[in-house]
Amino acid sequence: MNRIRCAFAWSLLVFSLANRPGLGWSEIPQGSDPTSTVAVGPQYDTTHVYVAPEDVDAFVKDFLGTFGGTSTKQVVVTVTPTPSSTSSQLLQTPVGTVSLFGFKTPVPYPFGEERTGYLVTDLDNAIVSARSAGADVLVTPFPDPIGRDAVIQWPGGINMQLYWHTTKPSYTAFQTIPENRVYLSPVRVDDFLRSFLAFSHGKVVSDDPHAPGIEIGRSGDTFRRVRVESLFGRLTVLVTDGHLPYPYGREQTGYEVSSLTDTLAKAESLGVRILVQPYSSSGRTAAIVEFPGGYVAEIHEMR
């Protein structure tokens, strides 16, 4: 009986710790058995970019001209569970992949609000895993021309698409792994991290409560920055009060390059706009740019 009481008391203690606001991540289990993950690999995870049809070709030219790589053949398809029409192509570069959409019809809700697409080994199991980790399912699984898809939402309102291919794809590994850049409030960040870590079986590689404010356009201030790594790739969580100067918070992805100077020179020669000039902070030099169609991205070089 004493053993049962002790076990019950320990369970209550674990529950109270896991639900305590502002809990330090060294105190929370970093996921379970990593062999059970539904992830495939970072090179199969894409940033979803939606541009007007008239901007598609310009975006392709400038994005590939900046980072290198190739595009799949452009096709016109329905990629939603309700009637719609969009051009679709995959831009594969050594530093990140983009799923590019140029909708010719109005975009059905909630498509266009998901930031990334994650390839999973089994979509149904991935949905079960995401829900058990605390995600909502905004769009239940549906067929697309090459597989099945669903859209989920993490605490804090972060939308992601999960997808599965009928024919198993084989993509070259990235030279450098891009980072998914997520902006969250202090109120929801711990819930997001707890859920995403449980789903991805990832780990927190750094949690800086006083990261330099220059990284969010507020020199002289500090903010909390959390970096996460998993088989899905890299994810950087920027915890702010939402008082962000443009374009911070608009960039979905950060791309690591070997030479920021050379990359920006290529981008500028193509007409890509530099929104934030290069600055140095926390072991990297970074800039923020805008591609045709309005896609905003961070580019950085590690020092």
Side-chain angles (χ1 to χ4, degrees), residues 1 11 25 27 33 50 55 73 110 126 139 168 197 233 244 250 272 284 288:
M1 180 65 69
S11 297
W25 284 95
E27 303 171 64
D33 180 5
Y50 290 69
D55 292 324
K73 182 181 178 181
V139 181
K168 184 178 180 181
L197 288 170
L244 299 168
R250 296 294 183 187
V272 176
R284 65 168 67 179
I288 298 180

PDB file of all heavy atoms in Angstrom, residues 1 11 25 27 33 50 55 73 110 126 139 168 197 233 244 250 272 284 288:
ATOM      1  N   MET A   1       0.825  -1.205   0.000  1.00  0.00           N
ATOM      2  CA  MET A   1       0.000   0.000   0.000  1.00  0.00           C
ATOM      3  C   MET A   1       0.862   1.258   0.000  1.00  0.00           C
ATOM      4  O   MET A   1       0.593   2.228  -0.697  1.00  0.00           O
ATOM      5  CB  MET A   1      -0.922  -0.029   1.233  1.00  0.00           C
ATOM      6  CG  MET A   1      -1.832   1.206   1.314  1.00  0.00           C
ATOM      7  SD  MET A   1      -3.023   1.298  -0.057  1.00  0.00           S
ATOM      8  CE  MET A   1      -4.073  -0.082   0.357  1.00  0.00           C
ATOM      9  N   SER A  11       3.506  10.504  -9.368  1.00  0.00           N
ATOM     10  CA  SER A  11       2.764  10.858 -10.578  1.00  0.00           C
ATOM     11  C   SER A  11       2.219  12.274 -10.468  1.00  0.00           C
ATOM     12  O   SER A  11       2.252  13.047 -11.430  1.00  0.00           O
ATOM     13  CB  SER A  11       1.610   9.874 -10.813  1.00  0.00           C
ATOM     14  OG  SER A  11       2.107   8.576 -11.027  1.00  0.00           O
ATOM     15  N   TRP A  25      13.315  23.734 -19.735  1.00  0.00           N
ATOM     16  CA  TRP A  25      13.229  22.542 -20.559  1.00  0.00           C
ATOM     17  C   TRP A  25      14.172  21.440 -20.142  1.00  0.00           C
ATOM     18  O   TRP A  25      14.020  20.305 -20.569  1.00  0.00           O
ATOM     19  CB  TRP A  25      13.401  22.920 -22.028  1.00  0.00           C
ATOM     20  CG  TRP A  25      12.126  23.532 -22.444  1.00  0.00           C
ATOM     21  CD1 TRP A  25      11.821  24.847 -22.466  1.00  0.00           C
ATOM     22  CD2 TRP A  25      10.918  22.850 -22.785  1.00  0.00           C
ATOM     23  NE1 TRP A  25      10.506  25.034 -22.801  1.00  0.00           N
ATOM     24  CE2 TRP A  25       9.943  23.829 -23.014  1.00  0.00           C
ATOM     25  CE3 TRP A  25      10.575  21.514 -22.915  1.00  0.00           C
ATOM     26  CZ2 TRP A  25       8.632  23.502 -23.360  1.00  0.00           C
ATOM     27  CZ3 TRP A  25       9.286  21.200 -23.267  1.00  0.00           C
ATOM     28  CH2 TRP A  25       8.332  22.187 -23.485  1.00  0.00           C
ATOM     29  N   GLU A  27      13.888  20.256 -17.402  1.00  0.00           N
ATOM     30  CA  GLU A  27      13.037  19.508 -16.483  1.00  0.00           C
ATOM     31  C   GLU A  27      11.951  18.714 -17.198  1.00  0.00           C
ATOM     32  O   GLU A  27      11.175  18.008 -16.564  1.00  0.00           O
ATOM     33  CB  GLU A  27      12.372  20.474 -15.500  1.00  0.00           C
ATOM     34  CG  GLU A  27      13.356  21.313 -14.711  1.00  0.00           C
ATOM     35  CD  GLU A  27      12.637  22.387 -13.918  1.00  0.00           C
ATOM     36  OE1 GLU A  27      11.859  22.031 -13.018  1.00  0.00           O
ATOM     37  OE2 GLU A  27      12.835  23.566 -14.209  1.00  0.00           O
ATOM     38  N   ASP A  33      11.020   7.337 -27.311  1.00  0.00           N
ATOM     39  CA  ASP A  33      11.945   6.549 -28.126  1.00  0.00           C
ATOM     40  C   ASP A  33      12.110   7.149 -29.521  1.00  0.00           C
ATOM     41  O   ASP A  33      11.157   7.197 -30.298  1.00  0.00           O
ATOM     42  CB  ASP A  33      11.400   5.131 -28.249  1.00  0.00           C
ATOM     43  CG  ASP A  33      12.306   4.231 -29.076  1.00  0.00           C
ATOM     44  OD1 ASP A  33      13.395   4.680 -29.478  1.00  0.00           O
ATOM     45  OD2 ASP A  33      11.915   3.080 -29.319  1.00  0.00           O
ATOM     46  N   TYR A  50       3.194  30.616 -51.320  1.00  0.00           N
ATOM     47  CA  TYR A  50       2.060  30.951 -52.174  1.00  0.00           C
ATOM     48  C   TYR A  50       2.314  32.321 -52.806  1.00  0.00           C
ATOM     49  O   TYR A  50       2.540  33.299 -52.078  1.00  0.00           O
ATOM     50  CB  TYR A  50       0.768  31.022 -51.363  1.00  0.00           C
ATOM     51  CG  TYR A  50       0.251  29.702 -50.852  1.00  0.00           C
ATOM     52  CD1 TYR A  50       0.926  28.985 -49.854  1.00  0.00           C
ATOM     53  CD2 TYR A  50      -0.937  29.167 -51.342  1.00  0.00           C
ATOM     54  CE1 TYR A  50       0.430  27.780 -49.368  1.00  0.00           C
ATOM     55  CE2 TYR A  50      -1.449  27.955 -50.866  1.00  0.00           C
ATOM     56  CZ  TYR A  50      -0.754  27.278 -49.880  1.00  0.00           C
ATOM     57  OH  TYR A  50      -1.244  26.080 -49.407  1.00  0.00           O
ATOM     58  N   ASP A  55       3.531  35.883 -60.647  1.00  0.00           N
ATOM     59  CA  ASP A  55       4.840  36.003 -59.992  1.00  0.00           C
ATOM     60  C   ASP A  55       5.591  34.670 -59.926  1.00  0.00           C
ATOM     61  O   ASP A  55       6.742  34.629 -59.472  1.00  0.00           O
ATOM     62  CB  ASP A  55       4.671  36.546 -58.568  1.00  0.00           C
ATOM     63  CG  ASP A  55       4.203  37.988 -58.545  1.00  0.00           C
ATOM     64  OD1 ASP A  55       4.627  38.752 -59.429  1.00  0.00           O
ATOM     65  OD2 ASP A  55       3.399  38.336 -57.647  1.00  0.00           O
ATOM     66  N   LYS A  73       8.981  19.881 -62.939  1.00  0.00           N
ATOM     67  CA  LYS A  73       8.115  20.449 -63.974  1.00  0.00           C
ATOM     68  C   LYS A  73       6.881  21.067 -63.338  1.00  0.00           C
ATOM     69  O   LYS A  73       6.276  20.492 -62.439  1.00  0.00           O
ATOM     70  CB  LYS A  73       7.704  19.358 -64.969  1.00  0.00           C
ATOM     71  CG  LYS A  73       6.838  19.863 -66.103  1.00  0.00           C
ATOM     72  CD  LYS A  73       6.455  18.730 -67.044  1.00  0.00           C
ATOM     73  CE  LYS A  73       5.545  19.243 -68.161  1.00  0.00           C
ATOM     74  NZ  LYS A  73       5.144  18.142 -69.087  1.00  0.00           N
ATOM     75  N   PRO A 110      -8.043  26.194 -44.699  1.00  0.00           N
ATOM     76  CA  PRO A 110      -7.032  27.107 -44.173  1.00  0.00           C
ATOM     77  C   PRO A 110      -5.730  27.077 -44.971  1.00  0.00           C
ATOM     78  O   PRO A 110      -4.677  27.420 -44.435  1.00  0.00           O
ATOM     79  CB  PRO A 110      -6.802  26.567 -42.773  1.00  0.00           C
ATOM     80  CG  PRO A 110      -6.897  25.070 -42.961  1.00  0.00           C
ATOM     81  CD  PRO A 110      -7.952  24.878 -44.034  1.00  0.00           C
ATOM     82  N   ALA A 126       0.921   9.403 -38.008  1.00  0.00           N
ATOM     83  CA  ALA A 126       1.402  10.754 -37.709  1.00  0.00           C
ATOM     84  C   ALA A 126       0.292  11.615 -37.114  1.00  0.00           C
ATOM     85  O   ALA A 126       0.527  12.398 -36.186  1.00  0.00           O
ATOM     86  CB  ALA A 126       1.952  11.405 -38.973  1.00  0.00           C
ATOM     87  N   VAL A 139      -7.402  20.033 -41.048  1.00  0.00           N
ATOM     88  CA  VAL A 139      -7.878  19.382 -42.263  1.00  0.00           C
ATOM     89  C   VAL A 139      -7.544  17.896 -42.139  1.00  0.00           C
ATOM     90  O   VAL A 139      -6.371  17.525 -42.092  1.00  0.00           O
ATOM     91  CB  VAL A 139      -7.213  19.966 -43.529  1.00  0.00           C
ATOM     92  CG1 VAL A 139      -7.752  19.278 -44.780  1.00  0.00           C
ATOM     93  CG2 VAL A 139      -7.448  21.472 -43.614  1.00  0.00           C
ATOM     94  N   LYS A 168       7.578   6.179 -52.795  1.00  0.00           N
ATOM     95  CA  LYS A 168       8.568   6.709 -51.864  1.00  0.00           C
ATOM     96  C   LYS A 168       9.579   7.591 -52.588  1.00  0.00           C
ATOM     97  O   LYS A 168      10.229   7.151 -53.536  1.00  0.00           O
ATOM     98  CB  LYS A 168       9.286   5.565 -51.164  1.00  0.00           C
ATOM     99  CG  LYS A 168      10.266   6.020 -50.094  1.00  0.00           C
ATOM    100  CD  LYS A 168      10.903   4.813 -49.415  1.00  0.00           C
ATOM    101  CE  LYS A 168      11.898   5.250 -48.342  1.00  0.00           C
ATOM    102  NZ  LYS A 168      12.532   4.085 -47.682  1.00  0.00           N
ATOM    103  N   LEU A 197       8.021  18.805 -29.295  1.00  0.00           N
ATOM    104  CA  LEU A 197       9.090  17.886 -28.909  1.00  0.00           C
ATOM    105  C   LEU A 197       8.561  16.464 -28.744  1.00  0.00           C
ATOM    106  O   LEU A 197       9.220  15.497 -29.139  1.00  0.00           O
ATOM    107  CB  LEU A 197       9.750  18.360 -27.612  1.00  0.00           C
ATOM    108  CG  LEU A 197      10.634  19.604 -27.730  1.00  0.00           C
ATOM    109  CD1 LEU A 197      11.009  20.104 -26.347  1.00  0.00           C
ATOM    110  CD2 LEU A 197      11.878  19.323 -28.550  1.00  0.00           C
ATOM    111  N   GLY A 233      14.314  18.290 -38.963  1.00  0.00           N
ATOM    112  CA  GLY A 233      15.189  19.410 -39.295  1.00  0.00           C
ATOM    113  C   GLY A 233      15.371  20.350 -38.120  1.00  0.00           C
ATOM    114  O   GLY A 233      15.252  19.944 -36.956  1.00  0.00           O
ATOM    115  N   LEU A 244       7.059  44.076 -33.086  1.00  0.00           N
ATOM    116  CA  LEU A 244       8.093  43.748 -34.065  1.00  0.00           C
ATOM    117  C   LEU A 244       8.075  44.727 -35.236  1.00  0.00           C
ATOM    118  O   LEU A 244       7.034  44.904 -35.877  1.00  0.00           O
ATOM    119  CB  LEU A 244       7.876  42.335 -34.606  1.00  0.00           C
ATOM    120  CG  LEU A 244       7.935  41.204 -33.577  1.00  0.00           C
ATOM    121  CD1 LEU A 244       7.414  39.918 -34.176  1.00  0.00           C
ATOM    122  CD2 LEU A 244       9.363  41.029 -33.069  1.00  0.00           C
ATOM    123  N   ARG A 250       7.714  37.968 -40.404  1.00  0.00           N
ATOM    124  CA  ARG A 250       7.203  37.603 -41.730  1.00  0.00           C
ATOM    125  C   ARG A 250       8.034  36.496 -42.376  1.00  0.00           C
ATOM    126  O   ARG A 250       7.560  35.825 -43.275  1.00  0.00           O
ATOM    127  CB  ARG A 250       7.196  38.835 -42.649  1.00  0.00           C
ATOM    128  CG  ARG A 250       6.268  39.943 -42.202  1.00  0.00           C
ATOM    129  CD  ARG A 250       4.830  39.514 -42.272  1.00  0.00           C
ATOM    130  NE  ARG A 250       3.909  40.572 -41.904  1.00  0.00           N
ATOM    131  CZ  ARG A 250       2.594  40.401 -41.751  1.00  0.00           C
ATOM    132  NH1 ARG A 250       2.075  39.193 -41.929  1.00  0.00           N
ATOM    133  NH2 ARG A 250       1.823  41.409 -41.410  1.00  0.00           N
ATOM    134  N   VAL A 272      16.219  40.749 -56.218  1.00  0.00           N
ATOM    135  CA  VAL A 272      15.689  40.436 -54.892  1.00  0.00           C
ATOM    136  C   VAL A 272      15.960  41.621 -53.969  1.00  0.00           C
ATOM    137  O   VAL A 272      17.049  42.199 -53.979  1.00  0.00           O
ATOM    138  CB  VAL A 272      16.361  39.166 -54.330  1.00  0.00           C
ATOM    139  CG1 VAL A 272      15.890  38.883 -52.913  1.00  0.00           C
ATOM    140  CG2 VAL A 272      16.068  37.979 -55.235  1.00  0.00           C
ATOM    141  N   ARG A 284      26.536  34.194 -35.895  1.00  0.00           N
ATOM    142  CA  ARG A 284      26.128  34.192 -37.298  1.00  0.00           C
ATOM    143  C   ARG A 284      25.981  35.621 -37.794  1.00  0.00           C
ATOM    144  O   ARG A 284      25.774  36.555 -37.018  1.00  0.00           O
ATOM    145  CB  ARG A 284      24.813  33.437 -37.495  1.00  0.00           C
ATOM    146  CG  ARG A 284      23.596  34.063 -36.829  1.00  0.00           C
ATOM    147  CD  ARG A 284      22.284  33.450 -37.302  1.00  0.00           C
ATOM    148  NE  ARG A 284      22.116  32.064 -36.903  1.00  0.00           N
ATOM    149  CZ  ARG A 284      21.044  31.334 -37.189  1.00  0.00           C
ATOM    150  NH1 ARG A 284      20.056  31.849 -37.886  1.00  0.00           N
ATOM    151  NH2 ARG A 284      20.953  30.075 -36.792  1.00  0.00           N
ATOM    152  N   ILE A 288      17.809  39.753 -44.122  1.00  0.00           N
ATOM    153  CA  ILE A 288      16.460  39.337 -44.503  1.00  0.00           C
ATOM    154  C   ILE A 288      16.144  39.918 -45.869  1.00  0.00           C
ATOM    155  O   ILE A 288      16.401  41.098 -46.130  1.00  0.00           O
ATOM    156  CB  ILE A 288      15.410  39.784 -43.465  1.00  0.00           C
ATOM    157  CG1 ILE A 288      15.688  39.126 -42.115  1.00  0.00           C
ATOM    158  CG2 ILE A 288      13.996  39.437 -43.938  1.00  0.00           C
ATOM    159  CD1 ILE A 288      14.705  39.489 -41.020  1.00  0.00           C
TER     160      ILE A 288
END
